[in-house]
Amino acid sequence: MLRTVARPSRAFLLLLMLALASCSSSETVDQQSKLAASTAQAAVLVSDAWLSGAAPSRYASSALQSFAETLADAGRQVESASVSNPAKRDALAAAASRLSNAAKRAKDAVEAEQHAQAGQALQELRAAQGDLATAYRQYFSPDR
């Protein structure tokens, strides 16, 4: 009698573990996407502050380097998540990667004191923010 009870319990535990694993992937994608969005906004603010002369170059460069690394890591985390729709996940990861690259370009422009290139990188950051927002909405929208 105990054996018949143990088998359903094992099956239940296996199903529970699978359910938790799938939830954690979706939560990871959600958390990393939100982290990317807030980090990108910080990169925009620092770039804008540097361009207007309100932030020193050393601070802006250091902050943008940190933001680029955070964005790259968020993209890798999203990309490695096991999900049911890899195309939507990949769109989110690509947007995070684009944000990271734009933050790196902004950092390089700040270090070189190149305002025109920093302005272009700022435009890239803003465009990639839109890409991330669109990919996020599509990822979390129900399939039709």
Side-chain angles (χ1 to χ4, degrees):
M1 181 111 161
L2 287 176
R3 286 187 180 184
T4 57
V5 172
R7 283 188 185 143
S9 296
R10 286 183 190 156
F12 174 74
L13 288 175
L14 181 60
L15 288 173
L16 181 62
M17 288 182 351
L18 288 172
L20 290 175
S22 67
C23 289
S24 65
S25 291
S26 182
E27 288 174 12
T28 297
V29 170
D30 183 48
Q31 291 170 345
Q32 294 303 311
S33 297
K34 289 178 179 175
L35 174 64
S38 63
T39 303
Q41 184 59 34
V44 165
L45 292 172
V46 167
S47 297
D48 199 34
W50 182 78
L51 284 166
S52 69
S57 295
R58 284 174 79 179
Y59 166 78
S61 174
S62 177
L64 289 165
Q65 176 65 39
S66 177
F67 298 151
E69 291 169 2
T70 299
L71 289 161
D73 186 54
R76 285 189 295 271
Q77 294 283 335
V78 168
E79 193 171 43
S80 68
S82 299
V83 296
S84 60
N85 192 328
K88 288 182 179 182
R89 176 208 54 205
D90 292 348
L92 276 168
S97 177
R98 186 172 172 209
L99 284 163
S100 176
N101 291 334
K104 286 178 196 170
R105 280 191 287 284
K107 176 201 71 93
D108 292 343
V110 167
E111 287 177 351
E113 299 284 329
Q114 297 292 321
H115 284 74
Q117 286 84 352
Q120 289 173 345
L122 178 58
Q123 288 177 353
E124 291 173 28
L125 279 165
R126 288 184 172 140
Q129 280 182 303
D131 293 346
L132 181 70
T134 298
Y136 182 87
R137 278 191 307 274
Q138 289 175 347
Y139 183 87
F140 286 100
S141 69
D143 290 328
R144 292 184 177 133

